[in-house]
Amino acid sequence: MDASDLENQLRQRDQLIEQMAETIRRQERIIAEQAQQIAHLQGRVAELEGVLGRKAQANRSKPPRFSGDYSLRSQERPKRRRKKRSPGRRPKSQKLAQAERTEDVYPEGVPPQQCVFVRDRLAWRIEDGRAVRVRYRLHREPGTGRMAGLPEVLPRSEHGLEVAVILAFLVYTVGVSIDKARALLAFFCRLELSKSQADSLLSQLSRLWQQEFDTLCEIMAWATVVYIDETGWKVSAENCYAWVFTTLTHTVLLYGRGRDHTVLDEILPEDFDGIGVSDDYAVYRDRFGQAQKCWAHLLRKAIALMLAHPEKSPYRQFFEQLLELFRDGKRFQHDGRLGPSGRERRVHELEERLERLCSRWQDELSDEAPTDERDFVNLQKALMRMRSEQELFTFVLVPEVEPTNNRSERTFRFTARMRHANQTSKSRWGAQRRSILTSVLLSLRQHLRDFTLEAVVQEVSRWRKAGESLFRAQLAAFRAGLPPPEVPAAALS
């Protein structure tokens, strides 16, 4: 063994000694830390033992306490108290005494002297802005049994139709809660209603208008142009959607629905031959024989790109040229000199300009492409797809069609406010009731020259007298191929 081998062995020994020394130092540190922790825990144990000892001493010092009652009185059976009986409904005789006026009601067209009195009926009416309890003396014709009717009063109710209409207008059009609507009636009309009464009146009115709502849904299938939109809604904690279908004369709102084609098929059957105006949501694609996509949505996308990236001039140039294209289309729409062939030529010119504008619609971008560039190319692809489906310039060919979906979006502004204020539906029945009342009220607003309480009550009372509403008469005319009837002059005055 030479000297170099010995030196290697000595170095290995020194390294081993150093490693063992480091291990010993590390273990000494661990032992010191554990000893410190043991001392801390021992101190804590002593402290807790002292606390337990003091608590045990305190418990031993308390005198005994008995919670039970062992007196003779406690062994006697307590007398059962009678529950105070609810007063229930007040007797009719008491209500009759509170009536402010009395009115005799006879069957229509029958002389009063030929009728006999049958029974009294009481109802709260709003007269001159104040609630009045009226006593109606109902008569009938003896020979035929024809009974006098009260079309201005809700069936099986003690309130006039106008009370329910006021509640529906305040809750579903103005957007106040039922409690606030009750407070407004009490303050302005001196009519006190419990919450259950108000809820019941809204339900009665919705049941009364159920057939009119079904008629409105069916009328949509006969429309020439329908504007459609959907927005988020809630039924209790469940996320769902609200839909609007509106024309120049009718509106249908559906709350608490899904966002698939079943809702569309429910209102507009597949053989619908009118024009559907909507945004570019997938459920509307290839759905109508003629369609018009909303230009406002397309322009807003171009504006968002331009404002988010002002340093990129192609985005601004694209928006300016797209806006100019839209304005030219609007000018052609209102040009009364153009006939059908002239309008087709103008549409062809606009489509050629659009194709030149969308120069990147065939680009295939990689996954690493910036988000804004991807949005820019996708917007051009969407425009060219709509162009090929002839859904961009229908408003030029058919001037009665609006180029945007703003009509339906305006109808939804109130719904959006209700959603943001968390005033959505609490149940499926509540969503259905909202659908019925808002649809009928909005459709009446579209027909009545003066949308007032008096005009609404007068028109709805006429429905009950005639046995047919204006909407049912219009649907019958559509089915027969006749012009739809207009609102009677009495309701317009």
Side-chain angles (χ1 to χ4, degrees), residues 98-135:
Q98 296 175 350
E100 298 186 36
R101 69 177 180 86
T102 301
E103 182 177 333
D104 290 300
V105 186
Y106 304 95
E108 188 174 0
V110 181
Q113 60 272 17
Q114 297 180 10
C115 299
V116 295
F117 172 74
V118 178
R119 66 175 183 272
D120 288 306
R121 185 174 176 185
L122 293 162
W124 283 103
R125 304 299 306 275
I126 304 296
E127 298 178 353
D128 297 327
R130 188 175 69 88
V132 177
R133 175 168 268 175
V134 181
R135 174 187 180 182

Side-chain angles (χ1 to χ4, degrees), residues 285-401:
R285 295 177 188 171
D286 301 325
R287 181 60 177 74
F288 309 109
Q290 274 189 293
Q292 172 63 59
K293 296 304 181 187
C294 179
W295 271 88
H297 284 75
L298 301 171
L299 291 171
R300 279 198 291 263
K301 291 181 180 180
I303 292 172
L305 276 172
M306 178 184 65
L307 296 180
H309 303 278
E311 73 282 359
K312 297 188 177 182
S313 58
Y315 296 168
R316 176 176 293 276
Q317 295 171 2
F318 180 83
F319 164 70
E320 291 175 348
Q321 295 181 42
L322 187 65
L323 180 60
E324 183 182 0
L325 191 69
F326 171 67
R327 286 174 174 170
D328 287 343
K330 289 276 290 180
R331 183 164 52 84
F332 297 149
Q333 177 192 21
H334 299 295
D335 191 348
R337 299 169 299 174
L338 294 176
S341 59
R343 293 185 178 277
E344 289 180 0
R345 286 195 302 271
R346 294 301 189 186
V347 168
H348 183 67
E349 294 172 6
L350 293 172
E351 290 177 344
E352 287 184 341
R353 288 171 56 186
L354 180 66
E355 187 172 0
R356 291 193 298 269
L357 177 61
C358 299
S359 57
R360 298 190 59 185
W361 73 277
Q362 292 180 320
D363 290 2
E364 297 297 334
L365 300 180
S366 63
D367 296 338
E368 291 77 17
T371 303
D372 61 287
E373 185 178 3
R374 187 178 302 279
D375 293 340
F376 184 56
V377 173
N378 287 338
L379 176 57
Q380 295 190 20
K381 289 180 181 292
L383 283 166
M384 292 305 294
R385 172 178 52 79
M386 297 176 204
R387 173 208 180 264
S388 65
E389 295 170 354
Q390 299 182 349
E391 295 179 340
L392 284 176
F393 300 107
T394 305
F395 70 96
V396 179
L397 296 173
V398 185
E400 294 78 14
V401 177

